Amino acid sequence: MADISYIIPTFNNVDLLKKCLHTLLPETVKGDKVIIVDDGGSDGTYEYLMETYKEDTRFIILHQENQGQGVARNLGLDHAVTEYVWFVDSDDLLVEGARRKVKGILDTNEWDILIFGYTVKKSRTEMKNVALKLKYLDYRELMLTDHFPCNKIFRRKLFDVIRFPEKKFRFEDHATIPKVLHEADHVNYLNTPLYVYDLSHETNVSKNEKLYDHMYIACNCLVDYFREGGEVRKGLEPLLINTFLFNRMYSSRDVSFSERKREFMEMERYLNESIPGWQTSEYLDFSFWKKYHHMQHYTFVKLFNIKLFSRSPLAALLILHPFNSLKNSVKKIVR
């Protein structure tokens, strides 16, 4: 059986970590490892782990000064000796039977990455299954999809030369996973939710909108990586157009017109510097999206506005800002 190391960074959330382990430990089999890295917490997490799991041979319990999730994951990778690794956030959960469902796939095939669906838990009663609807598993499709590490199992050797950024910032996953996808030769997809991404608690970092501009830091990491390999357009074009045009233009953040204008101007400047001539990219052609229409967050209406943005960011802003404002107003009424 292909063994898995579950790498779990944790910082001052021992109660959530206990819930995570409650769903994870029944999924382990002989040969699996649970590598927990306490990132300099002060809530007794390390002491609890040592008292409870010190004698459990499945566990590798590590401690470091507070340096962030990226450094903690890298430390976990340094101690992983299994064939595969699965990065699990300490405030999330595994779906019952997840290990059993991936067992046959990992045992019988030489997959570099196994991607699967996940569930978003927005509140105690609100759950939403997310199916990525991957169809081709080609490089373009993979670069245009989500870059969370938690809904993927990776062959460990992919991280021999690729590591998470040492600097602490919000979108470190986005700065790392596209590199790994670029290096992988064999990728498979299981259209089944095996992981629960828990947004129901207030400590989840994804709720911190003050870190929104950290996406530029993440993309700078990727710009450097793909420039070194001489594949700037091939590697970055789908990713940056996806990030700055499809996602950021249609952001649900409730901000003023002047703030949204600043964002649009910054998006245009960044794309001009990173991918000169991006306005002529095939990813902005309607014909391209005929093949990838199954990716539901891309629609021809959105693409029309993005093509308008490529000619005049201000014109696109005048159309989209009222739309986003109306969407936020409806959300407030529904709540």
Side-chain angles (χ1 to χ4, degrees), residues 233-250:
R233 287 198 75 97
K234 176 188 173 185
L236 284 176
E237 197 169 88
L239 183 69
L240 293 191
I241 290 176
N242 170 45
T243 299
F244 290 105
L245 298 184
F246 282 96
N247 290 343
R248 290 176 76 95
M249 280 181 66
Y250 288 88

Side-chain angles (χ1 to χ4, degrees), residues 2-4 82-85 101-116 136-138 142 152-158 180 183-190:
D3 297 331
I4 298 175
T82 55
E83 187 174 4
Y84 290 95
V85 294
K101 290 176 181 177
V102 303
K103 172 185 177 297
I105 298 175
L106 297 180
D107 281 351
T108 58
N109 298 282
E110 294 295 321
W111 300 112
D112 291 324
I113 302 175
L114 173 62
I115 306 175
F116 38 85
Y136 303 107
L137 292 173
D138 59 17
L142 293 174
K152 303 170 182 67
I153 297 175
F154 302 91
R155 189 176 294 276
R156 179 179 54 84
K157 70 177 183 180
L158 289 171
V180 184
E183 297 297 330
D185 294 321
H186 305 289
V187 181
N188 199 356
Y189 173 57
L190 182 62

Side-chain angles (χ1 to χ4, degrees), residues 162 175 178-180 182-183 220-231:
I162 297 173
K179 300 178 187 178
V180 184
H182 184 260
E183 297 297 330
N220 284 337
C221 294
L222 297 174
V223 168
D224 293 340
Y225 170 80
F226 285 107
R227 277 182 180 160
E228 288 177 4
E231 299 184 351

Side-chain angles (χ1 to χ4, degrees), residues 296-323:
Q296 59 184 3
H297 47 296
Y298 299 105
T299 66
F300 285 103
V301 173
K302 287 186 177 182
L303 189 57
F304 173 82
N305 284 313
I306 287 169
K307 289 176 75 69
L308 178 61
F309 173 89
S310 71
R311 302 293 184 267
S312 171
L314 184 59
L317 175 64
L318 291 172
I319 293 175
L320 287 175
H321 184 72
F323 171 78

Side-chain angles (χ1 to χ4, degrees), residues 141-159:
E141 187 180 57
L142 293 174
M143 292 295 277
L144 289 167
T145 190
D146 297 333
H147 297 305
F148 310 128
C150 300
N151 72 319
K152 303 170 182 67
I153 297 175
F154 302 91
R155 189 176 294 276
R156 179 179 54 84
K157 70 177 183 180
L158 289 171
F159 291 91

